[in-house]
Amino acid sequence: MSTEKPSEEQWDIAQARELYGVNRWGLRYFDINEQGVVTVAPLKEEGISIPILEVAKEAREQGLHFPMLIRFHDLLRNRVARINRAFSEAIAEAEYRNQYRGVYPVKVNQLREVVEEILDAGHDYHHGLEVGSKPELHAALALHEDPDSLIVCNGYKDEDYVRVALIGRKLGKKVILVVEKVEEIRQIIAMVNKMKVEPLIGFRVRLMSGGKGKWAESGGENAKFGLSTIDIMRASRLLQEANMAHCLKLVHFHIGSQVPDILTIKKAVREGAMFYAKLSKLAHPGLEYLDVGGGLGVDYDGSRTTFHSSINYSLNEYARDVIYNIMDVCDAEEVAHPVVISESGRALVAHHSLLVVETFGNIKKAQVEEEAVAPTIEHKLIDDAWYAYQNISENNPLEAYHDAQHYKSEAQTRFELGMLDLEVKAEVERIFWLVGVEVLKFFRGAEFVPDEIVELESKYSDQYLCNFSVFQSLLDHWGFGQLFPIMPLHRLDEEPQRRGTLADITCDSDGVVSRFINLYEDGVATLPLHELNGKPYYLGIFLTGAYQDIMGDLHNLFGRVNEAHVYLDEDEENGYYIEETIPGTTMEKVLALVQYSEEDLGRKLKRQFDRAIREDRLRPNEAMRLLNEYNRNLKGYTYLRLE
Ligand SMILES: *Cc1c(COP(=O)(O)O)cnc(C)c1O
């Protein structure tokens, strides 16, 4: 066995895994193979591993350009199975005397293919749907076919909403209307009498145990949704007066998404279960379901902590805690165990999709030389700076840095006064960056790094230009500072020699990714990346399946990205096939969304061409060719075409 410490040259895949934390956030779905290429195993150890770039290249050959979103449908199915299995195991283990019924909150990713896949994969578990608006309800009602699975209707409701939900009841579906405010009870009672149908009603209770974290505002006394204890008493009385006390079937709460701390969940579940038990004994023995809402988080940064982009618990721990605490409260209150519903969305869909983006340039802020060349110009400032450079040692790295800083700012001052030539200024700055590089070496791997050195390090970082829009594809990074795992999809058999931030192609200074996962709460400012070598360089932005790939914003009119949907298939040569490609939004379509019609634009431009022909500025032949080109282009992709 060698006792030698690995030198910088001995880079291996294990180091790449560690550097990007792929085994920490990837839940064993993602890994790096010996060729240094990122792979996905949609079924974990029960199926094959696919090099992600291979899929991207195949989709490219089918005509899809980058940026490209890839969905792994088997991974989505695997998540559905795992959540259901986690609950059935927890139920068996605790000898809980009822069952679990999951519902998928459609708002987390409304894409029809995603919802259909979840329903299909959840068929054996009777996994149902949760909706929060009329359009979602209309979609759910049509897609949902299993009479044993539920449709839970949350969100504020008008008459139409209630009516459509009751149409579902007429079809024999278990559609549950969850009351968000007391007035909705009257609405439901009126509509039920008109439509002559028995409703299934739920109360959304407002818990005192709120969540922590960035999405926590949905809980607590000031929450936007739900009934206070006083409201609950009023709502219960209204139901009793209408002889509908038995229609109350469900108690629901939702303390927010991405709850980082399992203790918050335990506490909320106990409080919710207490509402269930007390209501059941008060006047509603027909109560049957306790719905614990969403909140089951995703460990985006892989730190397994209560950081905002992490969670300190596993899926199995979550399921066990939900089941145990409901059981504990119900046993103490001597009420029967309810059917447990959870509305997990994020944890179900986050992992199944990723965005592949292509870099197309690298803006280097500080030019670093391979070998330090001695200055050839004579000047006191240059001599002093060079002296500082030559005398850096482990005893004084900070001192050397401060000296170099001083000479640089001195050069700047004299330059502004017209007392210094460009050559001298450039030379002093060149030496400053040389000093910086040396100084940084002394702090590499150090336990404590002073702030000024952290700042210095970020000065050496590059800006990698990436063909995508943060506003379309990574909205929560922009809006909440949520961190997502990002890494190169190839070349991981080489040590990344640079560090950089990512700049998107919107004309917005916020269109950047400048926080990356790490084992610090707010991440780090730069991502280790490879030197561009003239060949395409692809990055993967992972865990974007929840909220991101559906919430996009049309900033600068960059539209939805191209999508490839991948299925595993043992009969295929590579073990998978691309089942469907969905072209991203065309320019024509995004323009139409803001009231520009294709015909109108073409007509307006044609008038200008006609004028140019009349005025002899263009020949008719050329004018028509250019106009056709414009019209053809309108049907193209909104992102850069880099080939
Ligand atoms: C958003 C939402 C969910 C989904 O929450 P996740 O944390 O993504 O699982 C569930 N229920 C309700 C009522 C919601 O508003």
Side-chain angles (χ1 to χ4, degrees), residues 40-170:
V40 55
L43 304 177
K44 299 196 184 181
E45 50 287 328
E46 289 158 32
I48 60 161
S49 273
I50 310 170
I52 291 171
L53 263 191
E54 198 181 284
V55 180
K57 286 187 178 146
E58 195 175 322
R60 179 66 199 84
E61 279 159 23
Q62 295 184 21
L64 283 198
H65 289 264
F66 298 99
M68 183 195 296
L69 190 111
I70 308 182
R71 295 191 194 282
F72 293 97
H73 280 251
D74 299 271
L75 202 162
L76 183 56
R77 301 180 70 89
N78 193 260
R79 297 304 298 153
V80 176
R82 275 177 197 270
I83 286 188
N84 280 283
R85 269 191 260 146
F87 272 97
S88 53
E89 280 165 26
I91 281 172
E93 196 182 298
E95 298 180 23
Y96 185 83
R97 289 188 300 280
N98 213 326
Q99 50 190 343
Y100 170 74
R101 279 280 183 275
V103 289
Y104 169 64
V106 172
K107 75 152 191 270
V108 184
N109 195 321
Q110 297 103 336
L111 194 77
R112 177 176 54 79
E113 285 86 343
V114 169
V115 178
E116 282 180 345
E117 199 67 65
I118 290 171
L119 287 178
D120 190 59
H123 182 267
D124 291 349
Y125 311 104
H126 306 294
H127 210 97
L129 297 173
E130 185 267 355
V131 298
S133 68
K134 281 192 284 183
E136 289 180 0
L137 173 61
H138 280 77
L141 220 46
L143 257 51
H144 169 273
E145 296 202 26
D146 172 8
D148 288 326
S149 78
L150 307 166
I151 300 181
V152 176
C153 302
N154 290 315
Y156 290 127
K157 296 163 194 70
D158 62 5
E159 236 182 71
D160 296 340
Y161 189 143
V162 173
R163 204 179 153 78
V164 175
L166 292 175
I167 291 175
R169 287 293 297 143
K170 291 251 184 192

Side-chain angles (χ1 to χ4, degrees), residues 103 105 107-108 130-132 154-155 180 204 218 225 252-254 256-259 291-297 342-348 546-547:
V103 289
K107 75 152 191 270
V108 184
E130 185 267 355
V131 298
N154 290 315
E180 304 270 9
R204 176 165 181 167
S218 348
F225 290 112
H252 169 258
F253 62 87
H254 172 67
S257 198
Q258 186 64 17
V259 177
D291 181 346
V292 301
L296 170 56
S342 84
E343 304 174 343
S344 294
R346 184 186 295 275
L348 211 62
Y547 302 102

Side-chain angles (χ1 to χ4, degrees), residues 468-494:
F468 82 118
S469 158
V470 167
F471 306 92
Q472 174 63 237
S473 299
L474 218 54
L475 206 56
D476 283 347
H477 180 73
W478 170 69
F480 293 110
Q482 196 200 317
L483 304 178
F484 290 87
I486 301 176
M487 64 190 289
L489 289 174
H490 55 146
R491 293 180 64 187
L492 293 162
D493 51 347
E494 291 168 48

